[in-house]
Amino acid sequence: MTEHTTPRADHRTVLLRGGDIHSPADPFATAMVVERGHVAWVGSEGAADAFASGVDETVDLEGALVTPAFTDAHVHTTSTGLALTGLDLSKARTAAEALALVRTHAEARPGDKILLGHGWDAARWTGEQSLSRRALDEAAGGRPLYLPRVDVHSAVVSTALLDLVPGVTGLAGYHPDAPLTGAAHHAVRAAAHAAVTPGQRTEAQRAALRHAASLGIGALHECGGPEISDADDFTSLLKLAADEAGPRVFGYWAQEIANAKDAERIRELGAIGAAGDLFVDGSLGSHTACLHEPYADAPHTGAAHLDAAAVAAHVAACTEAGLQAGFHAIGDAAVTAVVDGVRAASQKVGLTRIRAARHRVEHAEMLTPETVAAFAELGLTASVQPAFDAAWGGESGMYAQRLGADRARTLNPYAALLRAGVPLAFGSDSPVTPLDPWGTVRAAAFHRTPEHRISARAAFTAHTRGGWRAIGRDDAGVLVPGAPADYAVWRTSELVVQAPDDRVSRWSTDPRSGTPGLPDLTPGAELPVCLRTVVFGQTVFVRPNE
């Protein structure tokens, strides 16, 4: 990709030409004009000649694809940055490998007051293995150590970290030599994060935002809250994103509100909603998702944090205050509690106001036909993570271990949600699963349960425009005149149109389809490479040597 540049201005007029522009305004567009941070025109190469003499910059795309920038609708930015710059245990396949990685990391960072890692998953390890506290103490050299499980709903820690939390052994979820859950986990997580210096935090946030930009992500929904991070972490991230070039960050703060005064405190933090990870339950991997029937591999039904009455009170108060509400709900009992609560709130404040508020449900994995229909009725947005199915779905995956094969096959029914008219917004829950937008689109289009698959086009829309609609913006996430100029430029193979039904041709390159093409996302095919990311007309990433 070559370009002819003039000195940088805040809002240059730019003509991009000689590529493929993914735009519903013109499915055959090869050129686009950006002016004052917005898309001004899309069209054909021939028509682009009329603009060439009046622009500040012309970019020759050399056949590259231009799409709207992705929006990741569920991210924990600081934790993502700490995972990128710290100890990654996701590749460990045994407890011994994990301990060896901890030991090497500890030796390499003798000055760190606390050691942080992420990503271990005993469900993937061979045999029955665990990380004992004694072994962790030895590997960490006696220092505080915090290692959350891949789902971040439980953690193993060293004795030195426990010593920083008086009374932790009396909290719910404390286990002498097993992963901590519930209140005990929240307490040690708070202690671990408190030990991170402001400098380390800023370094981690910058690393996460740079990484997101390098993947063609133009916006992130930060899911913070008092049980996840702290107010300083949340406000510092929003300020950093506002002050420096990079992806946009929209913040959700997961705290219950009861009145307008509570809502104002949420707004004072800079949050756009009292939503995100407001926990109704936990996770399947940690056996804390709340189920109607017991786990297949544990004699209980998980943990319930909020009931329908609490959900109703929060949703009603948010709606009255003009604030978006939302919840973390994974298990079928948790999703039922959300649906029942939102319906009760609608009886108090009116269904029309509930629907207009676009309240959200994060994860929403264990849905039934009844709860899918209720999402549509109540105007709830399903903020979901297709990479969860790629990581844990299938006949022998973690879902099947926890729930049995029959229940596992019902999880993440994206096709049913779309058929019912439920808005989808795709995200990663990073660092639970990595920032990987094209991989996310692929995971939805090639869901491990075939009846839940959706077209690549629908999945792409959920990961671009869907994220904007989830924050109440219908004018963004699409390259049409008047839309914000948030876009990414990709090196990719031939563009195709995917049909979601195996009874018809899955792939088509016929231009008569009138549908903008997308890269071939067949498993095994090479995913597109991001060459440039632009946010509001400003370049925030350029691939080196391009």
Side-chain angles (χ1 to χ4, degrees):
M1 184 171 64
T2 59
E3 60 184 84
H4 309 284
T5 63
T6 57
R8 178 171 177 170
D10 284 342
H11 287 298
R12 301 186 309 277
T13 300
V14 180
L15 169 63
L16 298 94
R17 63 187 307 177
D20 290 291
I21 312 296
H22 189 279
S23 172
D26 183 348
F28 312 113
T30 60
M32 178 172 77
V33 173
V34 173
E35 186 175 35
R36 300 188 64 80
H38 290 79
V39 177
W41 172 85
V42 294
S44 68
E45 190 66 24
D49 290 337
F51 296 95
S53 62
V55 299
D56 301 309
E57 177 183 353
T58 297
V59 176
D60 181 358
L61 295 169
E62 298 181 352
L65 169 67
V66 180
T67 71
F70 286 99
T71 294
D72 193 306
H74 192 120
V75 177
H76 304 285
T77 307
T78 303
S79 294
T80 296
L82 290 171
L84 289 168
T85 59
L87 172 58
D88 180 6
L89 298 177
S90 62
K91 300 295 191 295
R93 289 296 174 262
T94 65
E97 287 183 12
L99 289 167
L101 290 169
V102 171
R103 193 174 295 109
T104 299
H105 182 72
E107 292 170 354
R109 302 181 74 96
D112 287 4
K113 294 181 179 179
I114 185 166
L115 301 171
L116 303 171
H118 174 76
W120 64 270
D121 186 0
R124 295 183 177 179
W125 294 350
T126 55
E128 292 292 327
Q129 301 189 62
S130 62
L131 295 169
S132 72
R133 189 156 298 141
R134 181 176 179 180
L136 291 170
D137 290 344
E138 184 277 327
R143 278 185 281 172
L145 171 70
Y146 173 66
L147 299 179
R149 189 185 179 277
V150 64
D151 59 13
V152 202
H153 283 270
S154 59
V156 292
V157 302
S158 66
T159 302
L161 181 57
L162 290 176
D163 291 342
L164 298 178
V165 189
V168 67
T169 59
L171 295 177
Y174 175 80
H175 307 284
D177 205 27
L180 306 184
T181 60
H185 175 225
H186 294 158
V188 297
R189 176 165 56 187
H193 287 174
V196 175
T197 67
Q200 285 176 303
R201 183 176 65 200
T202 300
E203 176 193 14
Q205 291 169 349
R206 284 198 177 110
L209 295 175
R210 284 196 303 267
H211 184 56
S214 76
L215 298 171
I217 296 171
L220 304 171
H221 296 184
E222 166 67 12
C223 292
E227 293 186 346
I228 302 160
S229 53
D230 58 48
D232 287 343
D233 178 81
F234 187 76
T235 56
S236 68
L237 171 65
L238 297 182
K239 185 177 188 306
L240 181 71
D243 290 346
E244 299 185 3
R248 307 174 193 250
V249 177
F250 301 97
Y252 286 98
W253 188 251
Q255 191 164 18
E256 291 179 78
I257 73 165
N259 50 48
K261 186 176 180 180
D262 291 345
E264 186 57 31
R265 283 198 294 269
I266 298 291
R267 290 191 172 96
E268 287 172 355
L269 287 171
I272 62 172
D277 278 330
L278 185 51
F279 296 118
V280 178
D281 68 345
S283 74
L284 291 166
S286 291
H287 291 101
T288 52
C290 191
L291 313 181
H292 283 304
E293 300 294 333
Y295 283 87
D297 60 351
H300 60 81
T301 58
H305 301 306
L306 296 176
D307 61 14
V311 169
H314 179 71
V315 170
C318 285
T319 306
E320 294 280 12
L323 195 65
Q324 195 176 22
F327 304 91
H328 163 119
I330 287 179
D332 51 2
V335 174
T336 297
V338 170
V339 164
D340 290 347
V342 178
R343 185 174 284 121
S346 74
Q347 293 167 358
K348 178 181 179 182
V349 303
L351 179 59
T352 300
R353 293 179 69 189
I354 291 290
R355 289 178 59 86
R358 304 191 190 189
H359 302 308
R360 297 170 54 142
V361 184
E362 309 299 317
H363 316 309
E365 293 200 78
M366 291 186 71
L367 293 158
T368 65
E370 292 74 23
T371 51
V372 168
F375 271 46
E377 171 200 350
L378 299 167
L380 297 174
T381 293
S383 171
V384 296
Q385 295 74 39
F388 286 9
D389 174 73
W392 302 311
E395 294 298 314
S396 60
M398 183 269 287
Y399 291 154
Q401 295 172 30
R402 295 290 185 268
L403 302 172
D406 289 343
R407 275 192 295 178
R409 278 192 290 269
T410 69
L411 265 61
N412 302 303
Y414 303 139
L417 286 163
L418 281 183
R419 285 195 300 269
V422 176
L424 295 182
F426 281 177
S428 61
D429 199 9
S430 180
V432 175
T433 56
L435 299 171
D436 179 15
W438 285 113
T440 295
V441 174
R442 171 186 279 171
F446 293 91
H447 197 296
R448 289 179 180 271
T449 305
E451 58 262 36
H452 299 330
R453 292 175 180 171
I454 60 176
S455 70
R457 181 185 181 191
F460 177 79
T461 299
H463 216 350
T464 50
R465 199 168 193 180
W468 284 97
R469 286 173 167 167
I471 63 169
R473 291 276 301 272
D474 294 330
D475 63 328
V478 60
L479 299 180
V480 297
D486 291 20
Y487 62 89
V489 182
W490 307 91
R491 180 171 66 237
T492 189
S493 57
E494 184 180 30
L495 303 183
V496 295
V497 177
Q498 179 203 2
D501 192 333
D502 285 328
R503 292 172 298 179
V504 298
S505 176
R506 177 167 293 278
W507 300 107
S508 170
T509 57
D510 189 345
R512 293 173 298 177
S513 67
T515 300
L518 287 169
D520 180 352
L521 300 177
T522 304
E526 184 177 351
L527 292 175
V529 174
C530 184
L531 304 178
R532 178 177 296 227
T533 305
V534 175
V535 174
F536 199 49
Q538 301 299 304
T539 298
V540 299
F541 168 77
V542 176
R543 188 173 182 83
N545 304 317
E546 293 288 347

